[in-house]
Amino acid sequence: MKTSAISERELADGCAASDREAQGELYARYAARLYALCFRYVGEREEAQDLMHDAMIKAMDSFRSFSYTGEGSLYAWLRRLTVNVAIDRLRELSRLRMVPLDSTVEPDMTASDDDDDSVSLIPASAMMDMIAQLPSVRRAVFNMYCIDGFSHKEIAAAMNITEKGSAGILAKARTQLRKSVNDYLKRSGK
Amino acid sequence: MKDFDDIFKERLEDFEMKLPATDRNAFLKRKAAREHAAKRRRSYLSLAVGIPAAAAIIMTLFMTTYMFTTYEPSFVDEFVVAEEDLENGVVYAADLMPEYPGGPVAMQAYLAKEMVYPEWAVKDSIQGRVLVSFIVEKDGSVTDPKVLKKAHPLLDEEALRVVSGMSGWNPGMLNGDTCRVRMTIPVNFRLY
């Protein structure tokens, strides 16, 4: 989508004033990325699109609580907002069941040493699918910790689990993803 | 282990997934529906508070509304229409928007030539600007004309009449095919 060249700060100011053009520009710039983010959390396209719309509407309505703090701060704010919307939706849909406390952190299963290099060969869309295949809780924790920059403390608060529980779930998520990665690499003969 | 996470993060944190072509229209429709509901909620709230005063104000507004409605078309007005539109395959933002042959200048010229200033409006010096919304069909004809912003009943009627008479538009295009597009144009009535 063609976007104009206005600066991030100008865009934020425009949206805070509920200017239609600024809102349109906001959508043009960020919809596709926020859609991908939502897909990472809910694993299906229609749901993800729905969620992205909700997040965009919420963002446009609550722009007064955003303060521009430098290049990239707008995207960061949008990301946080969208993750919160996604987590709320997962909770609503009861796909985020109460997770039993894990008192010990499971050790990570590392398959082989040269995995890390091969991972870079996998296309991003395949990685998105691997994440989509995780069960909803693991998906949420992995996304929040590894990609969207939440701490275990924040994850624990958002999902009503303990920090140790969060770490344990993360370990399981990594294990499952490693397996998916290895399977993918095997299938594509690398 | 850190590398594994980092690779996922690097590749996916700015990843863009392609949205369907109809997405923007779907979004605008959702936004409008949300604003419409919020407006309704807000108006229920104000009715519950201070009913006597509200009743007096409402009655006055009602009477003046009858005489001439001059509300600005909001996002809501335009896109409440969108509810039916989207069901019937009408879009608001096509890849290539419809164009009147000769462009907007030619369109204004056509309207000015065809428009007949209502006699009584002339006598009473009634001026105004009417916003008319309509669909440009795949064959370039104009259908479903609606007044989006009224000025005066006489002017509104003439605006509708003259817009309905337009045809021969170059239709809008979406994904390589012609499509039905809803457009809005102002019709100005000026005496002086």
Side-chain angles (χ1 to χ4, degrees):
Chain A
M1 214 185 247
K2 205 163 164 257
T3 67
S4 74
I6 67 173
S7 77
E8 205 176 310
R9 185 190 273 279
E10 283 170 2
L11 183 59
D13 289 342
C15 289
S18 299
D19 172 53
R20 279 294 143 57
E21 269 193 54
Q23 289 180 336
E25 177 64 19
L26 188 84
Y27 197 84
R29 275 191 207 183
Y30 297 110
R33 274 179 278 181
L34 296 182
Y35 176 47
L37 190 156
C38 292
F39 184 82
R40 277 195 280 115
Y41 280 86
V42 294
E44 32 166 9
R45 282 164 195 277
E46 267 191 51
E47 191 74 52
Q49 189 184 4
D50 221 58
L51 212 60
M52 184 270 287
H53 288 171
D54 281 347
M56 275 289 189
I57 289 169
K58 189 164 182 193
M60 289 177 186
D61 285 345
S62 55
F63 239 96
R64 301 208 182 270
S65 57
F66 169 71
S67 26
Y68 181 80
T69 53
E71 183 96 31
S73 58
L74 177 55
Y75 182 43
W77 179 74
L78 286 169
R79 275 177 74 177
R80 276 268 155 158
L81 189 146
T82 309
V83 172
N84 287 326
V85 173
I87 298 296
D88 286 345
R89 176 69 62 87
L90 286 173
R91 223 185 274 128
E92 238 177 81
L93 301 171
S94 307
R95 286 193 210 146
L96 211 65
R97 283 173 289 283
M98 290 292 248
V99 181
L101 294 165
D102 267 335
S103 53
T104 54
V105 178
E106 278 189 24
D108 279 339
M109 314 286 183
T110 10
S112 78
D113 289 320
D114 46 28
D115 263 358
D116 294 337
D117 288 338
S118 322
V119 177
S120 5
L121 298 170
I122 301 175
S125 49
M127 292 169 99
M128 294 285 282
D129 287 334
M130 288 178 202
I131 294 177
Q133 279 162 28
L134 292 169
S136 56
V137 177
R138 278 183 212 173
R139 205 162 56 211
V141 174
F142 179 81
N143 277 316
M144 287 176 90
Y145 189 85
C146 294
I147 307 183
D148 297 314
F150 285 68
S151 65
H152 281 305
K153 186 170 178 180
E154 291 171 307
I155 296 171
M159 302 200 1
N160 217 2
I161 54 178
T162 64
E163 284 187 53
K164 278 204 178 125
S166 178
I169 294 161
L170 179 65
K172 288 188 187 147
R174 284 196 186 117
T175 309
Q176 188 172 342
L177 283 172
R178 276 199 172 277
K179 184 168 185 301
S180 303
V181 164
N182 289 337
D183 289 345
Y184 181 93
L185 292 171
K186 274 199 200 102
R187 275 200 313 272
S188 49
K190 287 182 174 82
Chain B
M1 196 28 59
K2 192 92 193 336
D3 295 327
F4 187 77
D5 289 357
D6 284 346
I7 289 168
F8 269 85
K9 180 177 156 91
E10 262 174 39
R11 306 285 292 286
L12 299 185
E13 69 180 337
D14 288 321
F15 188 65
E16 288 191 17
M17 251 175 80
K18 189 160 154 53
L19 283 155
T22 53
D23 173 71
R24 206 192 149 93
N25 280 331
F27 172 69
L28 291 170
K29 182 178 159 185
R30 279 289 288 292
K31 190 170 193 291
R34 194 69 70 88
E35 285 170 2
H36 202 54
K39 271 205 178 139
R40 261 208 307 270
R41 273 198 302 273
R42 280 200 291 269
S43 67
Y44 289 157
L45 195 66
S46 59
L47 270 169
V49 174
I51 286 186
I57 293 168
I58 285 165
M59 279 213 27
T60 326
L61 278 174
F62 194 75
M63 290 193 291
T64 53
T65 308
Y66 238 98
M67 284 159 53
F68 50 90
T69 315
T70 54
Y71 52 83
E72 277 303 313
S74 62
F75 214 172
V76 173
D77 292 334
E78 287 183 49
F79 294 103
V80 163
V81 167
E83 294 272 340
E84 313 142 10
D85 277 352
L86 280 162
E87 273 157 42
N88 297 324
V90 178
V91 302
Y92 276 69
D95 295 336
L96 183 70
M97 292 298 281
E99 216 209 16
Y100 194 79
V105 173
M107 186 186 72
Q108 289 297 339
Y110 169 85
L111 292 173
K113 191 164 88 90
E114 287 299 313
M115 186 256 279
V116 175
Y117 214 111
E119 197 186 325
W120 278 105
V122 175
K123 291 199 167 120
D124 290 347
S125 300
I126 296 170
Q127 299 190 125
R129 186 168 171 264
V130 184
L131 269 168
V132 180
S133 164
F134 56 94
I135 298 174
V136 177
E137 297 287 348
K138 292 183 184 185
D139 63 357
S141 61
V142 164
T143 59
D144 197 30
K146 288 193 210 306
V147 173
L148 222 50
K149 174 183 176 283
K150 304 178 199 176
H152 186 280
L154 289 171
L155 303 181
D156 299 341
E157 195 186 321
E158 177 58 16
L160 268 181
R161 186 196 72 80
V162 73
V163 166
S164 314
M166 280 195 297
S167 62
W169 281 77
N170 294 322
M173 302 285 281
L174 189 68
N175 294 331
D177 287 321
T178 56
C179 64
R180 310 170 68 207
V181 185
R182 186 168 279 282
M183 312 267 293
T184 305
I185 58 167
V187 181
N188 284 310
F189 292 86
R190 288 263 160 271
L191 288 168
Y192 44 81

